[in-house]
Amino acid sequence: MVMKTASRPCGKVKQYGQGRDLGNAEPYQSLQEGKNMYHDFESHTITRRSFLKGAGAVGAAGLLAACGGSSSSTAASASSASSGAAASSKGLSELFTYETSGREIESWNMLYSQQAIDFNVTTNIIDGLISFDNYGKPVPALAKSWEHNEDSTVWTFHLREENWVDNNGEVVAPVTAQDFVDALKYVLTPDYASSNVGLVTAYIAGADDYYNYYVYLNNANTGVVDDDGTTYTADASGLVTVTAPDGTASTYEPLDFDTVGVTAVDDHTLTYTLTYDFPGFLSLLCYLPYEPAYGPLLDEMGDQYATSAETMYSCGAFYLADYESLESWIMKKNPENYDADNVFIETISRIYNAEAAVNGPEMIKRGEIDEATIGSDILDSWLSDDTTKSMVSMDRPNTNYTYFYMFNFMPYAHEFSNWSVEGVDAEYEPDNWAKAINNTNFRKAFLYGINNAVTLAVSAPEGYDGYKLNTITPPNFCATTAGVDYTQCGDLANITEFFDEAKAKEFRDAAIEELTAAGATFPIKVQLPYNPSSTDWDKQCQVFKQQLEGVLNDGFDFIDVIITEGPADSFLSAVRRNGKFEFLLCNWGADYSDPETETDPFYQAEDSRGMRYAYLRTGVEDGFITGDTADTIMQYMTAIEAAKQITDDIDARYKAFADAEALLINNALVIPRGMSVPAYLATRLNYWEGQYASIGFSNKRLKGIHVLDHYVSMEEYEANRDAR
């Protein structure tokens, strides 16, 4: 039996509120009303209420257009038909400058990073095998064509001619199939601690055995002893022996990378061999561990790869020309890119500013930058001012992320072999909290007591119902062979609106009785952190506290929601991964077009000790989670394992995953909130020209987008949307 080790990291994670992370919106019943709101936008003074009502409809219609069919096969064809605004006469010499909040890019290394704030940028400097047009249709990128064998387990990609360029834009070498092989080897090298390794080991033949062997070898060489007492030793030949606490030993022979199912047949032919006919493989290739990197540079730089502009090469639409941490970075158009004719921005300049929420809009007024977020605190004044009202629009809706609340099921300090969790500070009474979250009625009081419309209304004062979700997976993500939406499959079809004050109080009263018997004290402290650099997150926390306490503290002092400010930089590492929260708003974005991807924050394989959002299985294995809650969690894990085995019947596969997701939600192990609300912007970009995808990060690419000679109004935004 292959024994996993505590030092083995798992798949990628996402961060709340990454720049313009947008969500999809369900259709509104009065879409035409929203359209008519802008018929005479420039000549009328409108109220914020009217503006937002129309804006909500714009967001919804934008989603429908984005998901619709089209005969267009490339982003270039769409961008050439740009409408609603003329491109700047400056053409390719145009400079696009924007200011960001105090959240610095953590890593330029797409083979290592696990941060959406990183991916949103690096996707512009590295191209993968495939991409998407601005309707969401897969199109060739570095691969000009591909095919697979009869059972879809061997995929062959034929590469186009492409070059690597350095930070001066000078050609270094051609991009070859070996660059994809070398990049995957880097991901599967434990010393580099890639956070995305789980997206490789689960699907590429031989990858799991190869990675495990080198994890075990590292453990042997460094003297690691697992929490359960498992030990590792290696002899001179490299044979690793893993000894379980009961003395049972397993041995592992050294493995070469050629045992992994990725092969450079020649310079322009690449093959992947899968462990099984995984339905989402082609879409998975849009995610970062499958992107190329120049092999000789990887060998030279090792863990210092992509730590500066000088230590990485680019093959995307842009190259990184300069980078100064906590100051700025500059990307320039890559003239060597195969699709350079469809790149209309010459230079992208990012200015780091910890006070961008305040300074950005003022810099817009002075014409110093080309884009800034217009927060809810100033939106009224901008809309009522004749000089600024026509400068406000919205970002393009993004179907990539959904948001949900998580309980911290492991609130204590915990040592892993490759990292440690500090846990909840004593002032928030972790012992009391541990009793509470092991009580199903306590969690269900939250599930039925939270009115998601309240927090969503902070960002979408009108139309917030269109962003609410009662599931983790959003609608329109995938459908059965009969066209039934995944959210209407299995037990998910029975889930409706949860918010119900009467039910919430019933669960509260049951929890009070049970928790009192268990020795808990009231009110139960609920630490709720937020990232100060994420627009309006603090306001959402305030209205959340007021709303939930208003329901659950009616007649009894049940909970005390304590809002805490986390760090602007490295929020994930400092808060969620460090266990320094009790209740937290989290988000997740699909990596590929299959419901298995939506299980990643919650599912843990047996003995896997990776960084998941809630440490659910770890909590059961280590005794933090007990009783009925532990039984439900293990039932969920078993259900996911069974669903993953179904690969030859899509309908049965979707039902199995839907049943498991419903189990998670109905037992309040996770509480859905909703989809991203498109940000209000002052921008000179027509984002409807760009690439679109509900998975990966193609929709953050600026290829195909023009910089305009003015800021986009909502009327123009709508016209651009309708012209697609």
Side-chain angles (χ1 to χ4, degrees):
M1 180 182 71
V2 174
M3 300 181 63
K4 312 295 184 188
T5 171
S7 64
R8 181 179 177 183
C10 285
K12 64 97 181 172
V13 292
K14 299 266 177 86
Q15 183 171 350
Y16 173 87
Q18 296 294 341
R20 297 178 307 278
D21 289 346
L22 311 176
N24 61 356
E26 295 177 306
Y28 285 80
Q29 294 187 2
S30 183
L31 197 58
Q32 190 61 45
E33 179 182 0
K35 286 185 178 183
N36 292 340
M37 197 71 66
Y38 297 98
H39 182 69
D40 294 317
F41 183 88
E42 294 292 345
S43 59
H44 290 76
T45 300
I46 62 175
T47 66
R48 181 187 184 194
R49 182 177 182 86
S50 298
F51 177 88
L52 292 171
K53 188 170 185 179
V58 168
L63 170 70
L64 297 178
C67 293
S70 169
S71 60
S72 173
S73 61
T74 66
S77 64
S79 63
S80 63
S82 171
S83 65
S88 168
S89 60
K90 295 181 181 178
L92 292 179
S93 64
E94 187 62 75
L95 167 69
F96 176 64
T97 302
Y98 67 106
E99 184 177 42
T100 63
S101 63
R103 299 169 67 183
E104 180 60 287
I105 288 178
E106 293 195 10
S107 176
W108 291 92
N109 185 351
M110 72 287 176
L111 303 178
Y112 161 81
S113 179
Q114 54 190 223
Q115 301 279 10
I117 195 171
D118 301 342
F119 305 155
N120 291 345
V121 177
T122 57
T123 190
N124 283 285
I125 57 180
I126 299 292
D127 271 344
L129 291 168
I130 67 171
S131 187
F132 296 90
D133 65 14
N134 70 341
Y135 296 94
K137 177 183 177 182
V139 294
L142 294 184
K144 58 186 180 181
S145 64
W146 54 85
E147 68 269 358
H148 57 77
N149 65 350
E150 185 175 354
D151 64 1
S152 301
T153 57
V154 179
W155 290 73
T156 301
F157 296 85
H158 305 282
L159 308 187
R160 67 174 79 246
E161 299 285 343
E162 186 62 42
N163 289 319
W164 292 105
V165 299
D166 63 15
N167 65 308
N168 295 311
E170 297 178 358
V171 174
V172 175
V175 175
T176 68
Q178 187 62 39
D179 294 324
F180 289 87
V181 176
D182 292 340
L184 212 63
K185 183 176 181 180
Y186 186 98
V187 171
L188 293 175
T189 301
D191 284 346
Y192 300 139
S194 171
S195 59
N196 303 310
V197 68
L199 293 177
V200 179
T201 56
Y203 309 113
I204 302 300
D208 195 50
D209 289 342
Y210 177 87
Y211 183 71
N212 280 344
Y213 169 76
Y214 283 98
V215 168
Y216 301 156
L217 181 62
N218 281 0
N219 289 351
N221 291 337
T222 56
V224 166
V225 178
D226 284 354
D227 293 344
D228 64 1
T230 299
T231 60
Y232 306 83
T233 58
D235 64 19
S237 70
L239 181 72
V240 175
T241 300
V242 180
T243 306
D246 63 1
T248 304
S250 301
T251 58
Y252 301 88
E253 298 279 353
L255 293 174
D256 294 327
F257 192 73
D258 60 12
T259 62
V260 177
V262 57
T263 303
V265 178
D266 56 43
D267 281 353
H268 294 94
T269 308
L270 175 71
T271 65
Y272 289 103
T273 301
L274 309 187
T275 54
Y276 65 99
D277 55 337
F278 172 51
F281 179 67
L282 190 63
S283 59
L284 179 63
L285 294 176
C286 296
Y287 204 67
L288 289 92
Y290 293 93
E291 292 186 342
Y294 185 51
L297 186 62
L298 285 178
D299 291 341
E300 177 185 351
M301 301 309 303
D303 62 1
Q304 296 302 299
Y305 172 72
T307 53
S308 67
E310 293 77 19
T311 56
M312 66 180 301
Y313 297 149
S314 304
C315 64
F318 302 89
Y319 63 88
L320 181 62
D322 187 57
Y323 168 60
E324 295 293 335
S325 180
L326 300 180
E327 291 185 14
S328 66
W329 53 252
I330 296 173
M331 294 192 298
K332 293 187 176 182
K333 178 184 175 180
N334 176 11
E336 293 294 324
N337 185 258
Y338 73 93
D339 205 16
D341 289 345
N342 192 35
V343 179
F344 306 112
I345 304 174
E346 184 70 20
T347 303
I348 304 169
S349 176
R350 196 291 306 255
I351 303 170
Y352 177 89
N353 188 336
E355 302 298 328
V358 175
N359 297 338
E362 292 303 313
M363 296 176 74
I364 288 286
K365 290 180 179 179
R366 297 193 297 266
E368 296 173 358
I369 58 176
D370 300 310
E371 181 173 297
T373 299
I374 307 302
S376 61
D377 56 335
I378 63 170
L379 187 57
D380 279 334
S381 63
W382 274 61
L383 292 176
S384 61
D385 188 335
D386 289 341
T387 63
T388 56
K389 68 179 183 180
S390 63
M391 299 167 67
V392 181
S393 62
M394 298 179 77
D395 202 343
R396 180 176 177 172
N398 180 351
T399 61
N400 200 358
Y401 292 113
T402 59
Y403 292 79
F404 45 86
Y405 292 105
M406 291 297 303
F407 298 95
N408 184 355
F409 286 90
M410 198 169 68
Y412 302 109
H414 196 70
E415 293 292 331
F416 294 89
S417 59
N418 66 333
W419 88 98
S420 62
V421 174
E422 291 185 37
V424 174
D425 292 338
E427 64 182 297
Y428 305 114
E429 302 175 356
D431 290 341
N432 209 41
W433 176 255
K435 294 183 179 72
I437 49 94
N438 271 292
N439 183 281
T440 301
N441 285 320
F442 174 81
R443 300 191 311 273
K444 285 189 174 181
F446 276 63
L447 178 64
Y448 287 92
I450 294 173
N451 183 355
N452 286 319
V454 171
T455 51
L456 286 169
V458 173
S459 300
E462 296 285 346
Y464 47 75
D465 280 340
Y467 300 105
K468 287 197 303 183
L469 281 180
N470 296 309
T471 58
I472 303 302
T473 305
N476 305 315
F477 174 68
C478 59
T480 68
T481 56
V484 177
D485 191 89
Y486 170 75
T487 60
Q488 297 303 307
C489 293
D491 291 340
L492 279 184
N494 300 320
I495 288 181
T496 57
E497 171 71 32
F498 283 104
F499 177 58
D500 185 321
E501 291 193 27
K503 282 188 177 181
K505 291 173 182 177
E506 289 177 10
F507 288 119
R508 177 203 64 184
D509 293 343
I512 291 171
E513 181 177 353
E514 294 167 351
L515 289 174
T516 299
T521 59
F522 299 95
I524 293 168
K525 293 183 177 180
V526 184
Q527 184 196 11
L528 178 67
Y530 69 92
N531 188 329
S533 68
S534 294
T535 303
D536 293 335
W537 195 350
D538 57 339
K539 299 179 183 66
Q540 292 173 15
C541 289
Q542 291 290 342
V543 297
F544 173 89
K545 171 182 171 69
Q546 183 179 13
Q547 183 271 314
L548 185 61
E549 287 183 349
V551 174
L552 297 184
N553 287 351
D554 182 18
F556 185 82
D557 200 9
F558 185 61
I559 58 171
D560 178 16
V561 177
I562 303 172
I563 300 170
T564 59
E565 180 179 316
D569 287 327
S570 303
F571 180 84
L572 277 181
S573 299
V575 178
R576 200 196 72 219
R577 294 189 207 123
N578 203 16
K580 300 191 81 63
F581 72 96
E582 290 175 329
F583 199 64
L584 183 66
L585 181 65
C586 302
N587 75 344
W588 181 255
D591 296 326
Y592 46 84
S593 300
D594 184 85
E596 183 180 341
T597 187
E598 301 289 355
T599 71
D600 278 0
F602 320 110
Y603 171 72
Q604 286 179 281
E606 184 177 2
D607 295 324
S608 172
R609 314 293 291 185
M611 290 185 281
R612 287 305 190 228
Y613 280 33
Y615 306 102
L616 290 177
R617 195 163 199 157
T618 300
V620 175
E621 291 174 349
D622 294 357
F624 294 109
I625 305 175
T626 59
D628 292 343
T629 300
D631 293 342
T632 302
I633 286 172
M634 295 314 299
Q635 184 182 351
Y636 170 77
M637 300 298 167
T638 300
I640 293 300
E641 286 155 5
K644 291 169 70 172
Q645 298 303 311
I646 304 172
T647 62
D648 58 352
D649 185 338
I650 290 297
D651 294 349
R653 179 180 175 89
Y654 286 5
K655 180 183 183 302
F657 276 112
D659 288 346
E661 183 173 327
L663 178 71
L664 194 74
I665 297 168
N666 285 327
N667 286 278
L669 294 170
V670 59
I671 298 178
R673 192 188 81 156
M675 298 169 286
S676 300
V677 178
Y680 294 96
L681 301 176
T683 183
R684 295 175 61 204
L685 297 185
N686 170 14
Y687 282 108
W688 294 101
E689 295 180 302
Q691 298 179 21
Y692 169 82
S694 61
I695 56 172
F697 292 87
S698 293
N699 55 334
K700 295 301 180 182
R701 289 179 172 166
L702 296 179
K703 181 173 69 173
I705 298 177
H706 295 82
V707 180
L708 308 176
D709 59 5
H710 58 278
Y711 296 100
V712 178
S713 68
M714 183 58 75
E715 182 183 44
E716 186 175 333
Y717 172 95
E718 187 182 40
N720 290 337
R721 180 206 69 209
D722 293 345
R724 293 172 63 257

